[in-house]
């Protein structure tokens, strides 16, 4: 997309307001920068990649920069306070948000639906468990099960790069945020609002499975194969019913 315009001797920059406004090409560029740069310099790197701005050198008055517009290089001086104003709209880089965005392909392999439509409940449980494992260990290998499910057929013979780690973590975080906003009753009652350990995560998972099977183990395979959206819809419904029952019972105390 055209992110820079020049009119009446004034340069205007159009900056995306969130991950969801990036094209696939822009997303790849942003991921490359954010996945490999320190947090303090990532916004500047992203700004330069999105707009094509180049910093020539630093001067006592500020930064001498240029951008290419309509085939011509346009130079300008950006003062430090101006740079702050220019970069502040990119604060969303540190907030995944609740709109799932991901590269269409990774290592040449197509991704599943961005919002996990068509992802089985079993795969969701495995993804959620691996996500927790990564947050605990920070080991890229902990994300391999996620990569295998979100990019079916991907080759994992080489360790995930920093950029690929960022892709997977950011995407799953966005999906979890979306699910929390969609299925408010379930995610309010599932006990995972804060940090949890592996034992607590296993207990939560077991409770989810029991809620969907009614304790009938012969139904587990059917539940595991169910689309995650359908499974979470049912869990949310059950959580809402439990809340209503609890509220009714409280009236008689």
């Amino acid at each position: 997309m055209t992110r820079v315009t020049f009119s009446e001797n004034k340069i205007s920059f159009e900056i995306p307001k969130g991950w969801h406004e990036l094209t696939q090409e822009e997303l790849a560029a942003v991921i490359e920068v954010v996945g490999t740069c320190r947090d303090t310099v990532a916004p500047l790197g992203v700004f330069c990649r999105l707009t094509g701005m180049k910093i020539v050198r630093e001067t006592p008055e500020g930064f001498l920069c240029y951008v290419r517009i309509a085939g011509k290089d346009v130079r300008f001086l950006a003062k430090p306070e101006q740079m702050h104003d220019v970069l502040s709209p990119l604060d969303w880089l540190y907030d995944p948000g609740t709109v799932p965005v991901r590269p269409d392909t990774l290592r040449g392999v197509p991704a599943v639906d961005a919002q996990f439509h068509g992802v089985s409940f079993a795969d969701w449980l495995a993804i959620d468990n691996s996500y927790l494992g990564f947050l605990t260990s920070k080991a890229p290998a902990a994300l391999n099960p996620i990569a295998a499910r979100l990019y079916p057929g991907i080759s994992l013979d080489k360790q995930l790069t920093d950029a690929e780690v960022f892709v997977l973590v950011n995407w799953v975080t966005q999906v979890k945020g979306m699910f929390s906003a969609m299925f408010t009753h379930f995610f309010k009652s599932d006990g995972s609002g804060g940090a949890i350990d592996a034992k607590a995560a296993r207990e939560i998972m077991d409770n989810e499975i029991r809620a969907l099977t009614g304790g009938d183990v012969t139904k587990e395979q059917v539940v595991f194969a169910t689309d995650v959206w359908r499974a979470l819809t049912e869990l949310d419904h059950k959580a809402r019913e439990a809340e209503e029952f609890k509220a009714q019972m409280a009236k008689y105390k």
Side-chain angles (χ1 to χ4, degrees):
M1 297 178 65
T2 302
R3 296 294 185 185
V4 189
T5 56
F6 184 66
S7 178
E8 299 179 353
N9 293 321
K10 181 180 179 181
I11 299 176
S12 298
F13 297 100
E14 180 188 351
I15 302 300
K17 297 179 177 62
W19 292 97
H20 60 287
E21 291 192 0
L22 297 172
T23 65
Q24 280 290 306
E25 183 178 0
E26 290 173 335
L27 178 61
V30 171
I31 287 170
E32 181 181 351
V33 175
V34 176
T36 56
C37 289
R38 300 189 308 275
D39 285 348
T40 53
V41 298
L44 178 58
V46 167
F47 184 87
C48 290
R49 290 295 294 271
L50 291 178
T51 64
M53 185 185 80
K54 305 290 185 182
I55 298 177
V56 180
R57 65 177 180 273
E58 185 175 2
T59 73
E61 293 79 24
F63 298 92
L64 180 62
C65 309
Y66 77 87
V67 291
R68 194 164 184 79
I69 305 175
K72 296 181 179 180
D73 290 341
V74 179
R75 294 200 172 204
F76 61 96
L77 182 68
K79 297 180 179 180
E81 60 270 19
Q82 291 175 317
M83 291 297 289
H84 176 269
D85 292 340
V86 164
L87 297 179
S88 59
L90 287 169
D91 287 345
W92 53 264
L93 289 171
Y94 306 108
D95 178 13
T98 59
V99 180
V101 176
R102 85 293 187 249
D104 289 341
T105 62
L106 195 67
R107 299 188 181 184
V109 177
V112 301
D113 179 77
Q115 297 186 351
F116 283 20
H117 289 290
V119 172
S120 70
F121 186 56
D123 280 346
W124 165 250
L125 293 176
I127 289 168
D128 200 24
N129 187 57
S130 297
Y131 177 84
L132 173 62
F134 172 77
L135 294 183
T136 302
S137 68
K138 304 299 181 184
L143 296 173
N144 283 355
I146 295 180
R149 287 169 171 81
L150 299 187
Y151 291 90
I154 190 173
S155 173
L156 295 170
D157 55 334
K158 296 181 180 179
Q159 179 174 298
L160 293 170
T161 65
D162 289 341
E164 290 169 338
V165 166
F166 181 82
V167 165
L168 298 172
V169 173
N170 209 51
W171 184 8
V172 175
T173 302
Q174 290 168 341
V175 170
K176 288 173 72 69
M178 177 189 66
F179 282 162
S180 294
M182 291 283 296
F183 306 111
T184 55
H185 299 286
F186 171 65
F187 281 96
K188 181 172 64 177
S189 63
D190 77 339
S192 61
I196 57 175
D197 57 23
K199 182 179 180 181
R202 179 68 187 184
E203 183 177 347
I204 290 171
M205 183 180 69
D206 286 342
N207 290 338
E208 292 174 9
I209 296 171
R210 283 184 58 81
L212 292 173
T213 62
D216 185 348
V217 295
T218 64
K219 297 180 180 179
E220 285 189 359
Q221 293 308 311
V222 174
V223 167
F224 289 149
T226 301
D227 184 287
V228 62
W229 277 80
R230 183 67 191 91
L232 290 179
T233 298
E234 183 63 23
L235 286 170
D236 193 63
H237 180 71
K238 290 180 178 295
R240 179 174 61 80
E241 288 183 332
E243 289 176 12
E244 293 173 350
F245 177 76
K246 184 177 180 180
Q248 288 292 328
M249 294 301 295
K251 295 180 181 180
Y252 299 102
K253 291 185 178 179

